[in-house]
Amino acid sequence: MKNCKIIILLFLMAIPNLMSAQEKITTENWLSSSGIIGTFILIAIVMIVAIIILFIKLNGYIDTMKRRQLDKNRMAFDDELVAMDGGDIDAILEKRKAALTYKLKGNELSGNHTAIDEKGLIQRVEKDPNNAFFDEKKKTSLSLETPQELKKIVIYYIGAAAFWLVLGTLIGQYLGMKFLWPEMDHQAWLSFGRLRPVHTNMVFWGWSSLAMIGLGYFVIARTSNNKIYNYNWAWTGWALINATVLLGSLCLMAGINNGGGEYREYIWPVMLMFAIGLILTFYNFYKTVATRKISEIYISNWFILASLIWTIVLAIIGYLPFYQDGLGETVIQGYYMHQGVGMWFMTFTLGLVYYYLPSALNKPIYSYSLGVLAFWTQMLFYTMIGTHHFVFSPLPWWLQTIAIVFSAGMVIPVVAGTTNFLMTMKGSWSHISKSYVLPFFLVGTIFYFVGSMQGSVQAFRFTNFVWHFTDFNVAHSHMTMYGIIAFFLWACIYAILPKLTGREPAQVFVGAHFWLAFIGLFAYMMSLMAGGTYKGLSWIDGDPFIESVILMKPYWVWRAVGGSLMFVSHLVFAYNFYYMIKGYTRKPSATQKVEEITV
């Protein structure tokens, strides 16, 4: 708890400085603004982490080449043996026979005798009992002891999510091209105003939500040492959520929508199906945890159940008829939009990471106390920050100030969660060169810190004055929903699916997915951040609006390039998913061992 007290103390000390930074708004020396400087530093962190991962991967590749050269040398030695005469070969064989018959006496490394290792059998000496020798499990074809029905649920949820990811980002890529070629089509149902909400809702409720719930079913069952309460409810929820995305997308393309509320464009009869699916999912999870075979409730279940409760409440409040007009609609929109991101996607995904990260590394989470601190401060601060999207609006000034203060308060759960994840990874950095599960987790963790902190500094009045309503917001949303949520979900999928199906994709394809997604995201967000900044300054200077459109063209080109790389990475992911599930219905033999996961 000492770490928790230090984090809270630092935050309370920083509040006066954060608030004083809001007092004066000026465009002079805008680069000296604390929010601008903080954003530059956060972006630099992402670049440094990318360089480190690339260096480790290149170093691993060089080591592989060296090993291949050693193998060639051994083959050359074998050829040399063939050329030897009989006497030399007999002498070598006698030495080999003596080595094979050698046995340890049992006192070489214990007892009162001096430790000796004449045969060179010891490769590593570990003096720290808290550091596991094997902190990441090797590749294995052994299947986890998982009911076949649960495997099927996990696979079908992730499969549907992958489908909506590819289709949703294909639409997003088409929209990105429209910025460069607006005359691409002249059909009403393909217009930007209709397709944009199709893209956002499809990746929100289709890709992210289904992937989260599918992964969550495994976590709930595993950490409760229990079977899922009702498998039929799981399938009903799957059908309802998919029907929501399908019917909602068709309605939006037909011009049938809920108005201008972002992320709640689906009309209420369609969104009602999603709400019912969430209620079934929550009750299924709750009953599974309530009837658990162990006494403790693992921290992952806190996050997952809380996110479902919040989102059910959110879906109801967002569609109440008396919150659909006037300033009340604006306040509820900020609440709905940020609760959707923070209390549904972020909270649920963090719950997944608290299970899949330590299980992938075969070690416990670093600090349960930090997890509890992150949970309760997330519940406290995230609920009040939605209004920072409407700074300088007709909403009460005190309400805007509260949103800014609580945005700064998000430093506590973000630092607590980031510290917990990084300290859990401590001692496992060498495994970045062995697989891409840890790099996916690492990038997701870094973006969790960078994206969340950048959102906090963007809430300041000066940075909001420059960036709001510009393309910078699009960059920020992709930094969080893609850099955090998508990368964490991919890490969890690559960590668990090979263990469920016994099929692991080729690392070259997983690597292609990782680097295409990461480089594409970086190009996407950097171009829109730079362009959005210049656009905001152009507005402040009073330039004609069309000038801000013209200056964005080169940045929209790089947006399209980054989006293209991201979309290609999704195709690679879809292939990897297909490879992992191909033949998954094959039941494990009775002689197969069961692999245990340390939670």
Side-chain angles (χ1 to χ4, degrees):
M1 292 301 294
K2 183 178 179 181
N3 293 335
C4 304
K5 295 178 180 178
I6 293 174
I7 293 173
I8 295 175
L9 180 61
L10 291 174
F11 169 69
L12 294 176
M13 293 172 62
I15 281 292
N17 294 327
L18 292 172
M19 292 309 301
S20 63
Q22 315 300 315
E23 294 176 359
K24 187 177 181 180
I25 300 174
T26 175
T27 58
E28 296 179 4
N29 301 321
W30 66 276
L31 282 172
S32 63
S33 167
S34 58
I36 303 291
I37 294 173
T39 297
F40 286 157
I41 294 173
L42 293 170
I43 294 173
I45 292 174
V46 177
M47 295 179 65
I48 292 171
V49 170
I51 293 172
I52 292 173
I53 294 176
L54 180 61
F55 175 79
I56 293 175
K57 283 295 182 181
L58 288 175
N59 189 55
Y61 177 74
I62 293 172
D63 289 342
T64 301
M65 298 302 294
K66 288 181 178 179
R67 286 194 296 270
R68 290 178 180 176
Q69 185 61 41
L70 289 175
D71 291 338
K72 290 181 180 179
N73 293 339
R74 292 191 187 97
M75 292 179 65
F77 179 71
D78 293 341
D79 294 337
E80 184 179 348
L81 284 177
V82 174
M84 287 182 177
D85 58 29
D88 294 334
I89 294 176
D90 290 340
I92 293 174
L93 289 176
E94 287 296 328
K95 291 181 179 180
R96 178 61 178 161
K97 180 179 179 181
L100 290 173
T101 57
Y102 176 81
K103 293 183 178 180
L104 293 173
K105 298 178 181 179
N107 60 0
E108 287 83 358
L109 298 176
S110 64
N112 298 323
H113 300 281
T114 303
I116 58 174
D117 184 24
E118 295 178 349
K119 297 298 180 179
L121 300 176
I122 306 301
Q123 295 182 358
R124 172 183 172 186
V125 176
E126 179 58 65
K127 298 181 180 180
D128 182 6
N130 295 321
N131 188 6
F133 272 81
F134 302 100
D135 49 8
E136 184 182 73
K137 287 183 285 298
K138 302 296 183 182
K139 297 177 183 177
T140 176
S141 60
L142 300 181
S143 179
L144 290 170
E145 190 178 50
T146 306
Q148 195 69 17
E149 189 67 19
L150 178 58
K151 286 186 186 181
K152 191 174 180 181
I153 287 172
V154 174
I155 290 170
Y156 269 74
Y157 267 89
I158 297 175
F163 170 79
W164 293 122
L165 172 67
V166 172
L167 181 58
T169 51
L170 173 63
I171 295 172
Q173 177 64 9
Y174 183 74
L175 292 170
M177 306 299 281
K178 274 179 170 284
F179 281 94
L180 302 176
W181 299 287
E183 70 284 353
M184 286 176 64
D185 62 72
H186 299 87
Q187 301 296 323
W189 60 278
L190 291 176
S191 63
F192 186 91
R194 294 191 185 182
L195 281 185
R196 196 266 179 178
V198 172
H199 161 68
T200 54
N201 284 277
M202 191 173 288
V203 294
F204 268 40
W205 315 124
W207 149 242
S208 298
S209 298
L210 283 170
M212 284 160 31
I213 294 173
L215 292 165
Y217 266 108
F218 182 84
V219 173
I220 290 291
R222 193 75 175 171
T223 56
S224 300
N225 193 24
N226 197 6
K227 68 175 184 177
I228 295 300
Y229 180 73
N230 192 314
Y231 288 118
N232 290 330
W233 290 357
W235 289 114
T236 303
W238 182 88
L240 286 170
I241 296 175
N242 279 288
T244 299
V245 179
L246 176 61
L247 295 177
S249 299
L250 293 176
C251 287
L252 290 177
M253 295 177 75
I256 305 171
N257 56 69
N258 191 46
E262 193 170 20
Y263 311 142
R264 55 172 176 161
E265 291 91 350
Y266 288 169
I267 57 176
W268 73 263
V270 172
M271 202 61 182
L272 180 62
M273 293 189 295
F274 183 81
I276 295 173
L278 286 189
I279 292 171
L280 285 175
T281 301
F282 167 72
Y283 194 69
N284 215 4
F285 283 6
Y286 168 75
K287 291 296 289 184
T288 303
V289 174
T291 57
R292 63 191 180 279
K293 302 298 190 296
I294 55 177
S295 59
E296 298 85 3
I297 299 179
Y298 186 60
I299 189 67
S300 289
N301 298 340
W302 290 37
F303 280 88
I304 292 173
L305 292 176
S307 68
L308 283 162
I309 294 173
W310 275 107
T311 309
I312 292 169
V313 173
L314 179 66
I316 295 172
I317 292 178
Y319 281 84
L320 290 176
F322 43 81
Y323 285 141
Q324 306 303 316
D325 299 295
L327 288 179
E329 192 269 345
T330 303
V331 174
I332 293 302
Q333 174 57 31
Y335 172 79
Y336 177 91
M337 179 169 51
H338 238 297
Q339 293 288 303
V341 174
M343 303 306 290
W344 173 233
F345 298 109
M346 192 69 72
T347 302
F348 199 116
T349 302
L350 290 176
L352 297 177
V353 176
Y354 272 101
Y355 173 81
Y356 286 107
L357 174 61
S359 69
L361 299 179
N362 200 26
K363 58 169 68 169
I365 195 71
Y366 171 72
S367 172
Y368 204 88
S369 297
L370 278 177
V372 174
L373 172 67
F375 174 80
W376 286 114
T377 50
Q378 176 101 352
M379 297 299 107
L380 171 65
F381 290 113
Y382 223 124
T383 56
M384 298 294 289
I385 66 178
T387 311
H388 73 206
H389 283 271
F390 302 106
V391 175
F392 304 114
S393 73
L395 296 179
W397 192 258
W398 63 265
L399 186 60
Q400 301 175 33
T401 302
I402 288 177
I404 295 171
V405 172
F406 275 67
S407 297
M410 280 301 298
V411 171
I412 297 176
V414 170
V415 171
T418 303
T419 302
N420 219 359
F421 297 154
L422 291 179
M423 292 303 292
T424 302
M425 298 179 198
K426 182 182 177 182
S428 302
W429 304 118
S430 61
H431 294 283
I432 290 178
S433 63
K434 298 178 181 178
S435 77
Y436 276 94
V437 171
L438 192 55
F440 272 109
F441 274 122
L442 178 59
V443 169
T445 301
I446 296 302
F447 269 113
Y448 174 54
F449 176 78
V450 171
S452 300
M453 295 294 287
Q454 192 278 317
S456 294
V457 299
Q458 190 175 340
F460 298 167
R461 285 197 168 93
F462 178 81
T463 47
N464 212 295
F465 191 59
V466 176
W467 286 332
H468 201 50
F469 298 121
T470 71
D471 295 65
F472 195 101
N473 278 353
V474 181
H476 172 72
S477 64
H478 282 76
M479 184 192 300
T480 52
M481 283 301 299
Y482 196 89
I484 303 173
I485 306 302
F487 269 82
F488 272 151
L489 291 178
W490 286 325
C492 297
I493 290 169
Y494 284 125
I496 192 59
L497 265 191
K499 295 181 176 67
L500 292 180
T501 65
R503 293 178 60 84
E504 185 162 357
Q507 287 299 298
V508 64
F509 288 112
V510 181
H513 173 201
F514 174 84
W515 287 112
L516 285 169
F518 183 84
I519 296 173
L521 173 61
F522 196 77
Y524 188 101
M525 72 178 197
M526 288 300 296
S527 60
L528 292 187
M529 282 181 170
T533 301
Y534 285 122
K535 177 185 281 189
L537 294 174
S538 172
W539 292 350
I540 294 172
D541 289 339
D543 296 337
F545 180 79
I546 192 63
E547 293 295 328
S548 67
V549 177
I550 295 172
L551 69 84
M552 280 300 301
K553 185 173 182 180
Y555 302 103
W556 285 335
V557 171
W558 281 105
R559 168 193 173 130
V561 171
S564 299
L565 294 176
M566 293 156 71
F567 176 67
V568 173
S569 78
H570 304 158
L571 296 178
V572 178
F573 166 67
Y575 170 78
N576 289 339
F577 171 77
Y578 169 74
Y579 182 87
M580 287 187 285
I581 67 166
K582 188 170 62 175
Y584 79 93
T585 54
R586 173 177 47 84
K587 294 185 179 181
S589 63
T591 59
Q592 269 190 317
K593 296 180 179 179
V594 176
E595 181 183 346
E596 294 182 353
I597 289 183
T598 301
V599 179

